[in-house]
Amino acid sequence: MTAPASTGRDLRLDFFRGLSLWFIFLDHIPSNRLSWLTIRNYGFSDAAEIFVFISGYTAAFVYARVMRERGFIVGSARILKRVWQLYVAFVFLSVIYIAQTAYVAHQFDNPLFAEEMVVLHFLQRPETILLEVLRLRFLVANADVLPLYVILMLAFPFMLWLLLRNPTLAFATSIAIWAAAYFGGVNLRLYPLERGWFFNPFAWQLLFFIGAWCAVGGARWIQTLYRSNIVLVICIVYLLFAFALAMTRVVPESVRMLPEWLLLFPLDKTGMSPLRLAHFLALTILVVRFIPQDTAFLRSGWAEPLLMCGRHSLEVFCLGVFLSLMGNFVLVEISGTLPMQVAVSISGIVLMVGLAALLSWYKDLDRRAPKQPATR
Amino acid sequence: MSWGAPSVRVAAATAAFLALVSAANAATDERCEIPAIFVEPLSPLPRAAAAARRDRKLDILVLSGSPSQTGAAKGLRSYPAYFQDALREKFPSLEVHVAISAAPRRSVADLVPQLDKVLADARPSLVIWQAGTADAYRGLEAESFAEALRRGLSKVLESGADVVLMDMQYSPRTDNLVDVGGYIANMRWITSSMEVPLFSRYEIMRHWNDTGAFDLGSLRNNGLFEQVHRCIGELLADFVARGAELKEFESKER
């Protein structure tokens, strides 16, 4: 990413965050053929990496200035306000999810899984499950990027404080925490089985941090990196390697040709495998190099739907999770044929864009409204 | 569109039903197909084999904490019945009896104290123990589950019977809510350490779902129950036949 001092907002951030939200939506409808459009099938990393990286970048971009100008306390207060919004969104989504699961359980008429459905303990003990939701110990399947975001933002005041003072020490700390998660299995635990979070926050903070570092401390570094032709060649070779390996999942027979040391799948997503991380960073370097900030396309109307989604990422993300649950429900309940999958996917994206447009409209209203004179 | 006389309607419905049934039957065998590794027991069943050779008879008890999966609850025709049919059909010179002992939503720990009585009543030479569903879905502690399972398996072996452990169903609708993987890993580890064969229903059903043989995410039955249970019953018969070396009973002569 280019230096943060540049004028205005980097539209590429909004664009790719919007894109990651579309991808996450498509990927989260099980057995949706349109998920073949998304990047997870063509390499190691997926849309979650884009989302977390850009969230780290924009968080640092926004809050570093507050912290620099108004100090740690005010900066932290602003960040914690955002944490509260994220937390409320998470609880809201969990409530909808629990209601929907209960509805499915109620509609369920398949004796084959009667046993599994009946013993869904959380429907029998709503008080327990609701409390565990509030304690971040029951995470909605497919929405666990959101609680990850909550934890990352909760720790962000300290991360940012250190990053602004000593970027190198901050980077080393972040890597050390990741290593504890990746090698030592340090993770938060979930109700009721005490298994770890799917997105281990101790591992995924590294990517969030790298995003923040690029926005605040690392811009000069990054510029040298992405202008280097050697780095470019390494990135392209690595991306092609990942692509070739990903294709062996499509053609199972080809797996037999692989030597043992190349049997890399499944890559550890929970612990953020270094191969995944490297894949995402290589992809980022290519994007930054070949899509300049002032690309005409980003300013044309065509990019607007994605830009709008990226700007209202929290709301659109939550709607996407809800829509993927509904989409799955529709595909299982009514019909799962290919045309139906296309219809569900497209209507979901249209609704996400619709919400983003509505929110933009509200924001516009607020901006144009005359300042209310202070009462009292 | 009008339907005309009631008799015509009945005839049409019957024809449609028969077409459906025969189509389902024709499809079943093909869809049951599974790589041999899923039906190859890792440990033999010597006690069942000896009993079969001695008495030309095999008394089998299906033990389960999930009556709806054994058909004991709703009177559905389920895998124990298909299992018995398959063994009888395949081994005509062997007398096969399959009994069911199922109690609703019993964990392994709930079941073990009753084992002595159940075994004394049924006197089986082979027990099919279908375990884990209640434990996993109630989220019971892994260690106590493992301990109870080990005690239970020992009890069956001490009674002079062989035992095949059967794990949970693969249920895509609940798979993202309940992690059965840890329990299955435990069951795998315990059975191999005790030289008890494990019949992995979970892996088999998962294979079917992956290959599209069955749509296991379906909310509606659409004949799924009977088709899956028929396949499971037949594969289980194959599994037991390999473990107890029943090949000699294939001919009709005694």
Side-chain angles (χ1 to χ4, degrees), chain A residues 121 192-193, chain B residues 132-140 145 168 178-180 183:
Chain A
H121 54 273
L193 298 178
Chain B
T133 305
D135 301 79
Y137 282 76
R138 273 157 63 178
L140 299 184
F145 166 72
M168 302 79 130
V178 177
D179 179 22
V180 294
Y183 292 87

Side-chain angles (χ1 to χ4, degrees), chain A residues 23 25 59 201 203 262 357:
Chain A
F23 284 173
F25 164 70
L262 267 180

Side-chain angles (χ1 to χ4, degrees), chain B residues 4-130:
Chain B
S7 59
V8 177
R9 206 185 319 168
V10 171
T14 311
F17 177 70
L18 287 177
L20 207 70
V21 168
S22 63
N25 281 347
T28 306
D29 287 339
E30 204 175 291
R31 289 199 291 180
C32 287
E33 272 174 23
I34 198 106
I37 189 160
F38 293 105
V39 285
E40 190 60 65
L42 291 178
S43 312
L45 298 167
R47 295 174 183 82
R53 231 146 261 133
R54 192 179 56 235
D55 309 328
R56 306 195 75 76
K57 191 171 106 139
L58 198 52
D59 282 312
I60 303 174
L61 176 68
V62 174
L63 197 63
S64 164
S66 321
S68 64
Q69 287 176 11
T70 57
K74 291 183 181 170
L76 283 164
R77 193 166 166 78
S78 63
Y79 77 83
Y82 291 113
F83 172 54
Q84 176 173 280
D85 286 357
L87 283 177
R88 283 181 179 170
E89 192 184 326
K90 209 169 172 191
F91 307 108
S93 56
L94 184 68
E95 200 184 326
V96 178
H97 293 286
V98 175
I100 300 174
S101 168
R105 257 155 275 141
R106 287 286 163 82
S107 70
V108 169
D110 292 341
L111 226 146
V112 170
Q114 297 162 12
L115 262 182
D116 286 331
K117 188 179 178 323
V118 170
L119 290 171
D121 288 351
R123 306 177 61 78
S125 47
L126 175 64
V127 172
I128 308 293
W129 189 359
Q130 179 209 311

Side-chain angles (χ1 to χ4, degrees), chain A residues 108 110 112 115 195 332-333, chain B residues 68 169 173 179 218-219:
Chain A
F108 196 75
N110 190 344
L112 187 61
E115 203 69 30
R195 64 178 165 208
V332 177
E333 189 79 30
Chain B
S68 64
Q169 301 196 97
R173 280 213 175 251
D179 179 22
S218 175
L219 271 179

